[in-house]
């Protein structure tokens, strides 16, 4: 089945800290990331499904852009990630971010198209992918 991937960008800040641990353990696990810092994230949304014979599209990218802007970019861009209620009790890691993003958009993708993958690049060497629950 064909799939299409659209890239988006947003900037956000976070820091890692676990209140259950002492300072030494936090610094041992999270290193310098215990300090507030930001990233220029690259987000890749992949949708798969049959090609609509009238439009030639799996999904109209105009519609996907509206969904991602409303449900993800407006929530995360230029924010402190852990201020978002969804992250209460969770670290603002790329692993948790892809779960948040998936949950924000999965129900907005119109059938027969289906959300296939959320990929988030935090740095040039770190990215996380999520394909939904198996």
């Amino acid at each position: 089945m064909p799939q299409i991937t659209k890239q988006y960008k947003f900037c956000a800040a976070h820091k890692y800290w676990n209140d259950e641990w002492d300072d030494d353990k936090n610094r041992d696990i999270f290193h310098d990331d215990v300090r507030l810092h930001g990233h220029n994230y690259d987000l890749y949304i992949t949708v798969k499904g049959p090609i609509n014979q009238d439009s030639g599209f799996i999904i109209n990218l105009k519609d996907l852009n509206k969904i991602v802007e409303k449900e993800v970019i407006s929530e995360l861009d230029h924010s402190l990630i852990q201020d978002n209620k969804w992250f209460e009790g969770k670290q603002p890691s790329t692993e948790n971010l892809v779960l948040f993003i998936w949950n924000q958009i999965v129900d907005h993708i119109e059938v027969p198209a289906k959300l296939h993958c959320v990929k988030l690049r935090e740095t040039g060497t770190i990215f996380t992918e999520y394909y939904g629950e198996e």
Side-chain angles (χ1 to χ4, degrees):
M1 186 159 297
Q3 56 190 37
I4 187 166
T5 301
K6 178 74 169 86
Q7 180 183 18
Y8 301 90
K9 295 181 178 286
F10 65 92
C11 304
H14 67 169
K15 71 176 191 173
Y16 295 115
W17 192 266
N18 185 328
D19 289 332
E20 301 297 316
W21 299 342
D22 63 22
D23 288 357
D24 289 337
K25 184 168 183 178
N26 273 288
R27 291 183 197 292
D28 183 50
I29 300 297
F30 300 129
H31 310 282
D32 287 339
D33 289 343
V34 298
R35 296 185 187 130
L36 184 62
H37 63 284
H39 297 282
N40 297 316
Y41 290 93
D42 292 319
L43 171 62
Y44 302 86
I45 303 295
T46 302
V47 176
K48 71 177 183 178
I51 298 170
N52 179 294
Q53 293 308 305
D54 295 327
S55 69
F57 302 152
I58 296 167
I59 187 171
N60 186 322
L61 292 180
K62 182 179 173 184
D63 296 336
L64 183 60
N65 290 343
K66 286 180 185 177
I67 293 165
V68 174
E69 175 61 37
K70 180 181 181 206
E71 302 298 331
V72 178
I73 305 300
S74 69
E75 292 287 325
L76 295 176
D77 193 35
H78 289 84
S79 75
L80 181 59
I81 295 167
Q82 56 262 44
D83 283 352
N84 185 297
K85 283 180 63 173
W86 190 90
F87 286 90
E88 252 178 53
K90 299 177 186 84
Q91 293 295 337
S93 62
T94 56
E95 293 91 328
N96 279 323
L97 276 163
V98 294
L99 294 176
F100 169 77
I101 294 165
W102 181 281
N103 290 331
Q104 289 292 103
I105 66 174
V106 67
D107 293 334
H108 297 282
I109 306 295
E110 289 190 29
V111 173
K114 180 180 178 184
L115 183 58
H116 177 65
C117 179
V118 171
K119 176 180 175 179
L120 187 64
R121 181 174 296 281
E122 182 179 82
T123 70
T125 61
I126 298 172
F127 66 88
T128 301
E129 295 173 306
Y130 182 63
Y131 294 89
E133 295 297 321
E134 297 188 17

